[in-house]
Amino acid sequence: EEFALGGDVCITGHDSGPVFEEQPSSVVYPEGLSEGKVTLNCQARASPAATYSWRVNGTDVPVGDPRYTLVAGNLVISGPQFGRDGGSYQCLAINRCGTILSRAANLKFGYLHDFPGEGRSPQTAYEGAGAFLACQPPAHYPVLSYRWFVSEFPSFMKPDGGRWFVSQVTGNLYLAKAEPNDTASYFCFTTINMDISTKSTFSKANQLTVQPDGTGLSVCVFVHVADPVPKLRWRKVDGLLPSKAGASAEGPILTLPEMTFHEEGVYECEAYNSEGRDTQQGRITVQAQPEWLQVMSDSEVEISSELHWTCVAAGKPRPSIRWLRNGQPLSTQVNGGRLKVINLALEDSGMYQCVAENKHGTIYSNAELRVQVQVPDFRSNPVRRLVPAARGGQVMMECRPRAAPKPTLFWSRGTELLTNSSRVTVTPDGMLRIHNISRADEGKYTCFAENYLGKANSTGHLSVRDATKITLAPSNADINQGENVTLQCHASHDPTMDLTFTWALNGALLDLEDPGGPYHRTIRVMCLPPYRDLLIVSGHLSQAGTYSCTAQTVVDSASASAKLVVRGPPGPPGGLVVKNVAATSVELRWSRGYDNHSPIGKYVIMGHSPLSPGWKRMRTDPSNIEGNAESIRVVGLLPWMDYEFQVIASNILGSGEPSMSSHTIRTQQAAPTVAPSGLGGGGGDRNELIITWTPMAREYQNGDGFGYILAFRKQNSPTWVVERVSNVESSRYVYSNQSLSPYCLFEVKIKAYNRKGEGPFSQIAVVHSAEEEPTVAPSRINATALTAFEMQVSWDPIQHLSTNGILQGYEIRYWRQHEREASADRVRTAGLETTARVVGLRPSTRYHVTVMAYNSAGTGPASPRTTVTTRRPPPNRPPGNVSWKTDGSWVTVRWDHVKTLDNESAVLGYKVLYKHEGQSALKVLDKGKTSVTLPLPKDNGYVVLEIRSWGEGGDGAAQETIVSRDSGET
């Protein structure tokens, strides 16, 4: 199988045309760089291997020129020169099967000239105003990136809270709200990035002077003159701002990566601060380079036939389509994206390319066309040697030789040429069909194929077998959900062939072997040929339908069906709507769902509101809803509350799935029906009456425009004072009046109101007005020193009627003799005790003491002062020379008497704190003695001792000792 192409031969099944693996990419080369090289890549997969050539601007590249070198398929240009080598380059990959043309790669030359040498005019801005500095970049290609530095390189400018902004379009530097310390020299720094190098240059100094308190106008286009510095935000005028904008939505530059047509539209930038706002708008129009939607694929087509190829590309603007064959334009047989070639000849073989292009880019799609010519050949696809068929059935025998052009086909049985009859059909494409087969049809059948290149034939044998029949068909069945049922299926068949059984439900084949399939645990199969029964365990509503059993051999099949009815709870009611919404009731209407073969007995209504986390049964009128009902009134609802509803049908087999939820409705408003709870109060500042309550929960508000009405009066007064509190969240009201007596009894009641009316008053509560400080001081103050560090203070209580409120206790103030009373320490008693112990005092120190009563309003007047002197301190030395001696189960511990100094209090005795190993502590006190006898533990344990002196000044320092059974000393 070979055909000629340009004097060479492309071998079918062995050769393949070129397919690009690497194509050239555009390059920006630095102008004036004479020593460098540019490499444009081109590699293709082909068999035999491809050869390469290049075109620049449609003209062949002279590869013989020493400046051009071909390395494999890559083109290397040495010392590229501006004005000579720039242009559009394309690679051609060629072998004997065809030629393909690569995408175009542009070689362009980049440059960045220096800024002009002359200086720049200084600029003035006023404090608080805006300003901008122009970059005025030099000539360049391609685009520049811009930065500014201040005073000296590389002190580049930073955003500084949004005051500075550098435009990447013009390079200009914009300043909002100039400050005096912005006075400086500024330099525009430009950078150009090329494929093999980067170049930067910077301007002469732009001198900026900021003058204080100016009245000049800003020419800033970044943000208006504003104080404080405005913030910026973006929005999409004709839709939602894309989430991909991210943090850039709050800055001067809106960034939208990976643009799609959905982002087209009008965008608005808003500058705002506490003083006002201003906006600017701009429109984004999205265009796109071409993208393939449909391309052709490699094709092998027989000679003299037709070829139809289609290419479809998307893009904006709409791409144009052109065609290439072996790198050359095709103008005939082309209609836009459609290529049609009739009466194909060998020379039509080759590589074809579909090219889509618009102003944003060009894309290529490649395919190989092979025009085939071949003598008829059955070797790869002979007629089937043995064709079994069932009596009474039909058989089809195929004849599909390889041939090009298409051959003429006919069949014979022996020497008899077969023609169309009532039982025999021969189609033009070589298919032989025989109907109503009998034993007499057995024998050899031969297909003959012929075209102008030659002839061939192939023979098969038709064998007739017994037909397959269903001998026991499944019977219709009727079960309740959850019950088991068996469907039977028996069949007879030709014993020389295998018989298989399949089951289908409503035409869908059941996978009975898959343990993870939908019938796992519910459908099992028990098979003893030649029958297969289907056992359905715990039948479900979804398993109702028509079950088909099919018995099948390689030559025929037989089927039988039965219907299975599964009775179960009703399906969900449909079309639930809410009508006639009132304050505490609504009407529901619905349509019946499937009864699933068991009559619906009743319905229940379920409801849901923001107050309940789940669904609960609702009250209805009447309370029982019959199975033939399709509407009901739901009662007992809360006014001004959002509700959703569901309907659930049930029958004797259970409750079904609920209907879809209704739309959320809000009941009508009504006046409140309950009073607020938790009414109380008291306390506060002088001349105040404070009333408190628990805010009404949402379910009791019954409407909007909600608030509270307070009524209060002095006890036994005939007149009520009425006040309105309009905030639903309020829980406190303060009534202030200079004529209010302290701690005066008031009767208080409260009710709620909304736009529909007022609710009932609460029960009356008794609340006192604010207390005043006590006006009477305690009398007969007495202070007694207990130790060097403690004293006890006592006093006579004040009369309760003089406290202007509830007496909470007494406050003791004490300070050293030479200190000011303002620095006094304070101790408060809780309750009505008239004695208190004060600790933490200094030894041998004279203190002044006074006592005053206090309540919630503060402290009353101070009592007359009394004085007290604390006792001398105890010795700060522990007992010494501790020793012990054991006697059976007792131990006697002795120590030396502690001698006191002149400034220490006398020793009156000793305290011994001891505990056995593992026990809690016990205290032993022996006045005047310097020894103690203690029991010893029985288990050879030890005793831990603390020995200290004590006297009027308190306890002295402790001596710690561990005593064991052996005599010893510390």
Side-chain angles (χ1 to χ4, degrees):
E1 304 172 30
E2 299 178 351
F3 57 85
L5 177 62
D8 210 340
V9 174
C10 180
I11 304 172
T12 300
H14 179 271
D15 293 349
S16 59
V19 176
F20 281 120
E21 293 182 323
E22 192 171 1
Q23 298 189 59
S25 298
S26 295
V27 176
V28 177
Y29 188 81
E31 183 180 316
L33 183 64
S34 59
E35 300 300 321
K37 295 181 179 180
V38 167
T39 300
L40 300 175
N41 297 324
C42 182
Q43 297 295 326
R45 181 178 69 252
S47 178
T51 59
Y52 301 89
S53 65
W54 285 81
R55 295 176 186 168
V56 55
N57 299 326
T59 303
D60 290 341
V61 172
V63 179
D65 188 319
R67 296 189 314 107
Y68 299 104
T69 308
L70 205 58
V71 180
N74 301 339
L75 178 65
V76 180
I77 307 173
S78 300
Q81 298 177 14
F82 176 73
R84 177 176 179 180
D85 295 312
S88 176
Y89 287 79
Q90 285 182 285
C91 167
L92 288 89
I94 310 152
N95 78 353
R96 63 193 180 200
C97 293
T99 300
I100 53 174
L101 183 66
S102 76
R103 69 188 178 202
N106 293 317
L107 172 57
K108 295 184 178 181
F109 290 83
Y111 61 92
L112 173 61
H113 294 171
D114 291 330
F115 280 91
E118 59 269 13
R120 300 194 171 195
S121 301
Q123 289 186 243
T124 300
Y126 291 94
E127 183 179 358
F132 85 98
L133 301 175
C135 179
Q136 298 173 323
H140 60 275
Y141 179 82
V143 295
L144 297 175
S145 62
Y146 300 92
R147 290 190 289 175
W148 284 73
F149 62 89
V150 58
S151 299
E152 60 182 23
F153 184 85
S155 301
F156 287 105
M157 304 298 302
K158 297 179 180 178
D160 186 19
R163 290 200 314 122
W164 297 99
F165 172 68
V166 178
S167 169
Q168 294 302 314
V169 177
T170 64
N172 296 344
L173 174 67
Y174 296 94
L175 165 64
K177 193 187 176 189
E179 298 175 356
N181 59 7
D182 293 327
T183 298
S185 296
Y186 296 85
F187 301 83
C188 180
F189 186 84
T190 63
T191 301
I192 187 169
N193 289 298
M194 292 170 283
D195 289 287
I196 63 174
S197 69
T198 297
K199 183 178 180 181
S200 299
T201 184
F202 58 88
S203 69
K204 295 293 183 179
N206 294 259
Q207 180 63 40
L208 176 65
T209 302
V210 179
Q211 296 186 356
D213 301 324
T215 57
L217 294 177
S218 168
V219 294
C220 173
V221 300
F222 169 35
V223 289
H224 292 283
V225 179
D227 186 18
V229 176
K231 295 182 179 179
L232 300 176
R233 62 186 171 206
W234 290 86
R235 73 181 187 95
K236 193 167 187 280
V237 176
D238 45 1
L240 294 176
L241 189 69
S243 60
K244 65 174 71 173
S248 73
E250 305 291 331
I253 301 177
L254 178 67
T255 302
L256 298 174
E258 299 180 3
M259 287 290 291
T260 68
F261 292 111
H262 296 294
E263 276 82 68
E264 282 193 323
V266 178
Y267 289 78
E268 180 179 271
C269 175
E270 178 186 25
Y272 65 97
N273 62 13
S274 58
E275 303 301 317
R277 61 188 289 271
D278 196 8
T279 61
Q280 288 289 335
Q281 291 184 351
R283 176 177 293 277
I284 294 178
T285 301
V286 179
Q287 296 194 345
Q289 64 185 26
E291 180 181 353
W292 289 122
L293 300 178
Q294 180 182 348
V295 294
M296 71 283 200
S297 57
D298 293 345
S299 297
E300 291 188 3
V301 185
E302 63 188 33
I303 195 168
S304 302
S305 62
E306 289 190 0
L307 171 71
H308 294 271
W309 266 342
T310 301
C311 282
V312 181
K316 191 175 180 182
R318 175 177 291 180
S320 62
I321 304 288
R322 55 189 174 89
W323 294 80
L324 305 175
R325 184 178 70 194
N326 293 327
Q328 299 300 318
L330 269 178
S331 56
T332 60
Q333 304 169 320
V334 171
N335 179 15
R338 290 185 172 86
L339 173 66
K340 177 182 179 181
V341 184
I342 60 174
N343 195 24
L344 283 164
L346 287 176
E347 54 268 24
D348 292 318
S349 296
M351 299 301 299
Y352 286 74
Q353 290 178 285
C354 182
V355 186
E357 55 192 339
N358 65 11
K359 65 181 181 180
H360 300 294
T362 303
I363 55 175
Y364 290 74
S365 174
N366 307 339
E368 183 177 357
L369 173 64
R370 294 196 176 182
V371 179
Q372 296 180 324
V373 57
Q374 181 178 352
V375 68
D377 186 351
F378 280 100
R379 284 177 297 177
S380 61
N381 192 23
V383 171
R384 191 173 164 193
R385 294 190 180 278
L386 179 63
V387 182
R391 278 192 302 177
Q394 69 170 358
V395 71
M396 292 186 294
M397 300 177 71
E398 286 187 342
C399 180
R400 297 190 181 277
R402 296 188 63 178
K406 280 187 178 179
T408 302
L409 302 173
F410 56 90
W411 285 86
S412 71
R413 182 183 180 193
T415 59
E416 177 190 359
L417 185 65
L418 297 179
T419 58
N420 290 339
S421 66
S422 60
R423 290 198 313 116
V424 177
T425 303
V426 181
T427 65
D429 61 355
M431 181 74 71
L432 171 63
R433 289 195 180 93
I434 305 175
H435 303 271
N436 195 17
I437 292 174
S438 66
R439 288 287 185 188
D441 292 317
E442 278 193 332
K444 291 183 178 182
Y445 291 79
T446 302
C447 178
F448 295 87
E450 179 179 358
N451 65 13
Y452 71 85
L453 297 173
K455 299 178 182 180
N457 63 75
S458 180
T459 300
H461 185 269
L462 175 62
S463 174
V464 179
R465 312 291 176 88
D466 291 337
T468 303
K469 295 180 181 178
I470 298 293
T471 57
L472 178 59
S475 301
N476 294 339
D478 186 329
I479 62 171
N480 290 336
Q481 182 172 274
E483 294 179 348
N484 301 349
V485 65
T486 299
L487 301 179
Q488 294 182 310
C489 186
H490 298 196
S492 63
H493 68 296
D494 191 298
T496 63
M497 293 181 295
D498 291 331
L499 180 69
T500 59
F501 280 87
T502 58
W503 284 89
L505 172 57
N506 297 328
L509 204 62
L510 299 180
D511 185 356
L512 306 176
E513 311 300 329
D514 181 9
Y519 288 92
H520 184 59
R521 296 190 304 274
T522 60
I523 291 185
R524 293 196 294 269
V525 177
M526 298 182 299
C527 178
L528 293 173
Y531 61 87
R532 173 168 283 188
D533 293 345
L534 182 66
L535 171 62
I536 304 173
V537 178
S538 299
H540 188 268
L541 290 172
S542 63
Q543 293 168 315
T546 301
Y547 284 81
S548 300
C549 165
T550 301
Q552 188 166 1
T553 66
V554 294
V555 298
D556 69 340
S557 64
S559 297
S561 300
K563 287 188 177 180
L564 174 64
V565 173
V566 180
R567 302 180 187 275
L576 178 61
V577 293
V578 185
K579 300 280 189 182
N580 302 327
V581 178
T584 59
S585 65
V586 297
E587 184 182 344
L588 298 186
R589 297 179 184 174
W590 63 90
S591 57
R592 292 171 58 85
Y594 294 115
D595 65 8
N596 289 326
H597 310 291
S598 179
I600 296 173
K602 65 175 182 177
Y603 291 95
V604 295
I605 308 299
M606 305 298 288
H608 171 72
S609 74
L611 303 177
S612 58
W615 294 87
K616 67 176 185 178
R617 186 167 178 175
M618 307 303 290
R619 289 169 48 202
T620 59
D621 182 21
S623 56
N624 292 322
I625 311 173
E626 300 295 334
N628 58 358
E630 293 188 356
S631 66
I632 197 67
R633 189 138 201 96
V634 181
V635 297
L637 303 178
L638 296 174
W640 198 56
M641 184 59 63
D642 293 336
Y643 286 97
E644 293 178 70
F645 299 98
Q646 292 178 341
V647 184
I648 300 175
S650 61
N651 57 22
I652 60 173
L653 297 174
S655 296
E657 292 292 319
S659 68
M660 291 185 63
S661 301
S662 69
H663 291 300
T664 301
I665 59 95
R666 177 168 290 186
T667 50
Q668 297 292 322
Q669 300 187 29
T673 56
V674 297
S677 62
L679 186 61
D685 295 333
R686 186 189 301 261
N687 305 124
E688 286 183 347
L689 173 65
I690 296 180
I691 304 171
T692 60
W693 63 92
T694 302
M696 290 279 274
R698 173 67 177 79
E699 59 261 41
Y700 303 120
Q701 294 173 18
N702 288 5
D704 56 5
F706 186 86
Y708 304 95
I709 297 176
L710 288 167
F712 52 92
R713 67 181 179 185
K714 281 187 179 180
Q715 199 170 34
N716 301 323
S717 170
T719 305
W720 292 89
V721 178
V722 178
E723 297 287 351
R724 295 173 78 88
V725 181
S726 60
N727 186 357
V728 65
E729 301 293 338
S730 295
S731 61
R732 187 172 185 267
Y733 176 75
V734 180
Y735 174 70
S736 189
N737 191 317
Q738 293 298 319
S739 65
L740 275 181
S741 302
Y743 205 60
C744 183
L745 205 94
F746 279 82
E747 294 178 329
V748 179
K749 57 185 179 180
I750 189 171
K751 64 181 175 181
Y753 73 88
N754 61 24
R755 69 169 53 199
K756 284 293 187 177
E758 300 175 1
F761 267 119
S762 67
Q763 291 185 337
I764 292 176
V766 175
V767 179
H768 288 85
S769 60
E771 302 178 48
E772 291 186 359
E773 301 92 339
T775 57
V776 177
S779 58
R780 297 180 62 186
I781 309 302
N782 182 47
T784 305
L786 298 178
T787 67
F789 314 104
E790 297 176 293
M791 67 177 171
Q792 182 163 302
V793 183
S794 62
W795 58 91
D796 283 352
I798 66 172
Q799 291 300 312
H800 191 62
L801 295 177
S802 65
T803 61
N804 294 338
I806 299 177
L807 179 65
Q808 294 185 358
Y810 295 90
E811 181 176 290
I812 303 165
R813 296 186 183 181
Y814 57 98
W815 63 99
R816 286 183 286 168
Q817 184 174 11
H818 300 297
E819 292 180 336
R820 291 180 291 112
E821 183 178 353
S823 63
D825 290 317
R826 306 180 185 198
V827 174
R828 276 193 169 185
T829 67
L832 305 182
E833 294 289 335
T834 56
T835 62
R837 177 174 288 204
V838 180
V839 299
L841 305 178
R842 296 189 181 187
S844 306
T845 302
R846 188 175 183 82
Y847 284 91
H848 296 293
V849 183
T850 185
V851 181
M852 55 198 70
Y854 74 89
N855 60 18
S856 66
T859 53
S863 70
R865 298 180 189 174
T866 187
T867 59
V868 63
T869 301
T870 54
R871 300 183 183 276
R872 289 177 293 171
N876 64 358
R877 297 170 303 287
N881 293 327
V882 178
S883 62
W884 64 90
K885 190 172 185 179
T886 57
D887 181 8
S889 60
W890 295 85
V891 61
T892 300
V893 183
R894 300 181 185 278
W895 57 90
D896 289 349
H897 178 67
V898 177
K899 296 179 180 180
T900 58
L901 304 178
D902 291 341
N903 63 344
E904 295 176 339
S905 59
V907 175
L908 301 178
Y910 298 91
K911 291 181 181 178
V912 179
L913 186 72
Y914 77 94
K915 64 177 180 179
H916 289 173
E917 178 187 8
Q919 291 184 343
S920 59
L922 297 175
K923 187 184 294 183
V924 173
L925 179 62
D926 278 334
K927 289 185 179 180
K929 290 187 178 181
T930 57
S931 66
V932 65
T933 300
L934 303 171
L936 277 172
K938 296 179 180 179
D939 54 356
N940 293 323
Y942 53 84
V943 180
V944 180
L945 295 179
E946 277 189 11
I947 308 170
R948 70 182 77 221
S949 63
W950 69 270
E952 290 183 347
D955 293 345
Q959 173 70 59
E960 292 189 10
T961 303
I962 296 179
V963 175
S964 64
R965 284 194 170 273
D966 297 328
S967 297
E969 62 182 24
T970 299

